[in-house]
Amino acid sequence: ENRDQNFAMRPEQRAAVAKTKAYFESCLEEPNQIPKFLWNAKMRFGKTFATYQFARQMGLKRVLILTFKPAVRSAWREDLCRHIDFEGWQFISRDASELDLDKQYELADKSSPIVCFGSFQDFLGMNKETGGIKSKNEWVHTSNWDLVVFDEYHFGAWKDSAKKLFDLEDEEAESVSKTDITNALDESWLPITADRYLYLSGTPFRALNSGEFIEEQIYNWTYSDEQNAKANWQGPDNPYAALPRLVLLTYKLPDSIRSIAEEGEFNEFDLNVFFAATGKGKEAKFEHENEVQKWLDLIRGAYMPTTKEDLKLGKGKPAMPFADMRLLQVLSHTLWFLPNVAACEAMGNLLAQKQNRFYHDYTINVCAGTKAGVGLDALPP
């Protein structure tokens, strides 16, 4: 071990730990319910470090971290193995040793905290012959974890197949005790049991919209919160000083562009509908290509229909990103997020068409799909 890091938590990390700790402690009065908490925190918040500090303050000894993105393993390992606060803690993962996870766990010092990092892809795997869980993963199910951490909770793969690792049907739960669960190793529904759950995400919009968490179960830290903290810091050693200035611009789309994606259940504009696409690779195409083309024209200032709001604003209306010289100078590199792989490939194809000559000055990289590799393999490219 080379523990060369000794930085402390920033104020927002301390606040996240304190609120989560207080909530879990308040749940001790309701022993029949397994408490859960969500950190809705922007990228680079330091969710891994703060999670470890939370576990340390709570005195937790068995922590299981599960993710659909194995590429984050290096971050979880580095924070635990290099910071002086976690001396004596043990990190085990499928790729960290030549030994299987069960052997690593068996050899670990049970008197010291153990952090196990795993992927849902691994723990969801079923035994092809018996239909139950893989024998190499039995130890995960027979252990009762102090804390299970769901990293990248917003990731699209979080579906019923993942939830069944933790949720029993009501009638099953009534008839099966924890002791029975540990003996039922051939059951495909055998859950992973834990005393508390912590969910981590930078974009947990689906969970927030569905009401999955109540206000007391959520800690929020957004880009706006961070910019305010930077601007309002009192005294020396501003921990946010190194952060770049962030400018958020929002636009009201003209009705002629919005209308195509406003026919959903709640009559709201839906980006997933607007950018819906079919086909693969060079054949990928937007279902509403005319409207998407109008949007491309709009952001470079070439779509002219005006609204009453535009007339009221006059010169005060916000500058379009590819139409204002002040913005063009800083938009040499832009990253466009689209709903899925097909939409990304369709956008690449549309930008290459002759009517979009403006964008031909840019190199268009389609960074979606499996071409770059999966999991850790996708990190270098």
Side-chain angles (χ1 to χ4, degrees):
E1 291 186 349
N2 180 25
R3 297 193 176 272
D4 56 352
Q5 296 181 345
N6 62 357
F7 53 87
M9 284 192 286
R10 295 191 305 275
E12 71 273 17
Q13 292 173 325
R14 290 198 300 271
V17 169
K19 183 175 181 180
T20 312
K21 187 168 181 272
Y23 177 75
F24 282 140
E25 288 174 346
S26 72
C27 293
L28 293 175
E29 301 170 6
E30 301 176 27
N32 294 327
Q33 286 198 336
I34 301 175
K36 63 180 182 179
F37 201 94
L38 169 69
W39 286 359
N40 168 28
K42 62 171 281 295
M43 288 187 290
R44 312 311 301 164
F45 169 82
K47 291 186 277 286
T48 58
F49 177 64
T51 296
Y52 287 145
Q53 291 289 5
F54 165 71
R56 177 169 167 257
Q57 289 192 21
M58 289 283 290
L60 309 181
K61 293 294 186 74
R62 301 288 180 272
V63 179
L64 176 64
I65 298 159
L66 288 178
T67 183
F68 271 108
K69 297 181 72 176
V72 300
R73 175 180 62 85
S74 58
W76 282 100
R77 179 180 177 82
E78 182 172 309
D79 277 359
L80 191 77
C81 296
R82 291 184 58 187
H83 200 283
I84 60 172
D85 285 353
F86 311 114
E87 189 156 355
W89 288 53
Q90 301 156 95
F91 184 89
I92 63 177
S93 72
R94 185 74 69 198
D95 304 312
S97 167
E98 295 178 1
L99 297 173
D100 283 340
L101 270 177
D102 55 340
K103 292 295 182 186
Q104 292 182 55
Y105 186 75
E106 188 181 316
L107 295 171
D109 179 4
K110 303 300 188 296
S111 64
S112 297
I114 299 171
V115 174
C116 174
F117 177 92
S119 70
F120 273 110
Q121 293 90 321
D122 183 11
F123 292 127
L124 280 172
M126 295 295 177
N127 189 313
K128 292 180 180 178
E129 296 176 3
T130 65
I133 62 169
K134 294 177 181 177
S135 57
K136 68 177 183 178
N137 291 332
E138 288 177 2
W139 68 277
V140 179
H141 297 262
T142 56
S143 303
N144 186 60
W145 299 90
D146 294 330
L147 173 69
V148 171
V149 180
F150 300 112
D151 194 22
E152 307 290 347
Y153 180 59
H154 58 273
F155 210 65
W158 177 265
K159 291 177 182 172
D160 291 339
S161 57
K163 286 186 176 180
K164 76 178 183 182
L165 276 177
F166 298 89
D167 296 334
L168 286 168
E169 295 297 328
D170 291 340
E171 58 268 21
E172 290 175 331
E174 290 175 6
S175 61
V176 181
S177 69
K178 188 171 285 188
T179 305
D180 294 328
I181 287 173
T182 59
N183 292 327
L185 293 177
D186 60 337
E187 295 291 342
S188 60
W189 51 258
L190 184 68
I192 295 174
T193 59
D195 293 333
R196 53 191 70 79
Y197 298 137
L198 179 61
Y199 297 76
L200 311 177
S201 177
T203 52
F205 306 129
R206 189 184 297 113
L208 293 173
N209 287 338
S210 66
E212 188 176 336
F213 299 87
I214 60 175
E215 191 173 339
E216 290 78 9
Q217 296 172 314
I218 305 171
Y219 178 79
N220 298 294
W221 184 255
T222 66
Y223 285 100
S224 297
D225 292 328
E226 190 173 73
Q227 293 292 309
N228 284 331
K230 177 183 179 180
N232 297 321
W233 181 263
Q234 300 293 321
D237 302 322
N238 185 343
Y240 311 102
L243 295 171
R245 186 168 68 100
L246 186 75
V247 180
L248 299 175
L249 303 177
T250 57
Y251 301 94
K252 180 180 174 66
L253 291 180
D255 292 339
S256 55
I257 297 180
R258 290 171 56 90
S259 59
I260 200 69
E262 285 187 330
E263 297 165 7
E265 182 181 356
F266 301 107
N267 198 32
E268 294 177 342
F269 178 74
D270 190 334
L271 278 172
N272 294 316
V273 174
F274 186 77
F275 288 113
T278 56
K280 292 183 177 180
K282 295 298 181 184
E283 304 301 317
K285 187 175 181 180
F286 288 114
E287 292 180 12
H288 308 297
E289 191 171 278
N290 284 339
E291 283 68 29
V292 177
Q293 180 61 55
K294 289 176 184 177
W295 177 80
L296 285 174
D297 294 338
L298 177 75
I299 63 174
R300 70 180 185 87
Y303 185 72
M304 301 316 295
T306 58
T307 64
K308 291 180 180 178
E309 286 83 357
D310 288 337
L311 294 172
K312 289 177 185 175
L313 287 169
K315 291 183 179 180
K317 67 181 182 181
M320 288 297 166
F322 292 95
D324 189 283
M325 284 306 297
R326 294 166 299 171
L327 290 175
L328 272 177
Q329 292 178 36
V330 295
L331 293 183
S332 55
H333 301 283
T334 61
L335 187 61
W336 297 17
F337 283 97
L338 288 150
N340 51 41
V341 175
C344 291
E345 292 177 337
M347 183 61 78
N349 296 337
L350 184 57
L351 288 171
Q353 293 181 15
K354 62 181 181 181
Q355 74 267 25
N356 288 313
R357 284 198 184 96
F358 172 85
Y359 296 103
H360 294 184
D361 287 342
Y362 294 86
T363 300
I364 311 297
N365 296 307
V366 179
C367 307
T370 57
K371 290 178 183 176
V374 176
L376 285 171
D377 294 335
L379 211 51

